[in-house]
Amino acid sequence: GESVGLHLPTLSVQEGDNSIINCAYSNSASDYFIWYKQESGKGPQFIIDIRSNMDKRQGQRVTVLLNKTVKHLSLQIAATQPGDSAVYFCAETENSGNTPLVFGKGTRLSVIA
Amino acid sequence: DAGVTQSPTHLIKTRGQQVTLRCSPKSGHDTVSWYQQALGQGPQFIFQYYEEEERQRGNFPDRFSGHQFPNYSSELNVNALLLGDSALYLCASSLEETEAFFGQGTRLTVV
């Protein structure tokens, strides 16, 4: 069935380096994508989103890139900090707010001080 | 402004029992969705409530049911609990065309 998946289950980066987390999706009808950060014992926290009519969107220290041709999504974190250590999920949906989010398994980001 | 709040935070139940989990959405949000997150997995959609009715449902058995109240708060009920129902249950609230905000979740352990 349709699914969202991640290429790398774990990622270790040195503090101060940039992190890139990748995600592949398979539902060509998806038009809204979100990255969530989940710390241990907490619910997913919204990081950044992007709609299918965009290729790139920037936030504070984070950038999301969307390549609809190959159905690929990435999250870039600049100057990674220890507080960025968490599990990151990408999620897709066909219509924000109304349709279910489809999540992948997640990538665990570990920041080495 | 309180975000999405869920209760209880932790719960231990015995196989065969029934459980009710509660969720209060973020102020102004009218749509509540429930997700099940097994250990090491991403959240899986259970169902969504809007205007006190179930609007959409994921691939979960009828043992999972819910309710939404006039104040938009919601309950998730699970009957005849199985060991495999042990998971983190997440509530998310949203408003038309806005992103979903998640609560901290309820950790359910079935023994």
Side-chain angles (χ1 to χ4, degrees), chain A residues 32 34 36 38 41-44 46 49 51 89 95-101 103-106, chain B residues 31 35 37 40-43 45 48 55-56 88 90 94-100 102-104:
Chain A
Y32 181 59
I34 313 102
Y36 285 95
Q38 188 173 27
K42 296 184 178 181
F46 173 90
D49 59 359
R51 297 191 183 276
F89 293 97
N95 181 16
S96 67
N98 293 334
T99 55
L101 295 169
F103 287 82
K105 288 188 176 181
Chain B
T31 302
Y35 291 80
Q37 186 176 22
Q41 303 291 319
F45 175 74
Q48 183 183 82
R55 179 159 65 178
Q56 296 185 72
L88 180 68
L90 294 162
S94 58
L95 191 60
E96 189 84 18
E97 299 298 320
T98 68
E99 72 268 19
F102 284 83
Q104 298 284 68

Side-chain angles (χ1 to χ4, degrees), chain A residues 5-80:
Chain A
L6 296 175
H7 296 306
L8 298 174
T10 60
L11 178 65
S12 295
V13 297
Q14 204 72 32
E15 181 180 359
D17 287 352
N18 296 333
S19 303
I20 299 177
I21 302 173
N22 295 303
C23 174
Y25 66 95
S26 57
N27 183 0
S28 56
S30 292
D31 60 4
Y32 181 59
F33 305 87
I34 313 102
W35 280 100
Y36 285 95
K37 172 186 180 183
Q38 188 173 27
E39 297 174 283
S40 181
K42 296 184 178 181
Q45 177 187 0
F46 173 90
I47 302 174
I48 191 167
D49 59 359
I50 188 168
R51 297 191 183 276
S52 59
N53 61 351
M54 302 173 68
D55 297 323
K56 178 180 179 180
R57 191 163 188 225
Q58 288 185 292
Q60 187 177 14
R61 281 202 307 121
V62 294
T63 300
V64 55
L65 300 177
L66 175 63
N67 185 332
K68 296 180 288 295
T69 303
V70 295
K71 297 190 183 67
H72 184 266
L73 195 67
S74 69
L75 175 70
Q76 300 178 2
I77 304 174
T80 311

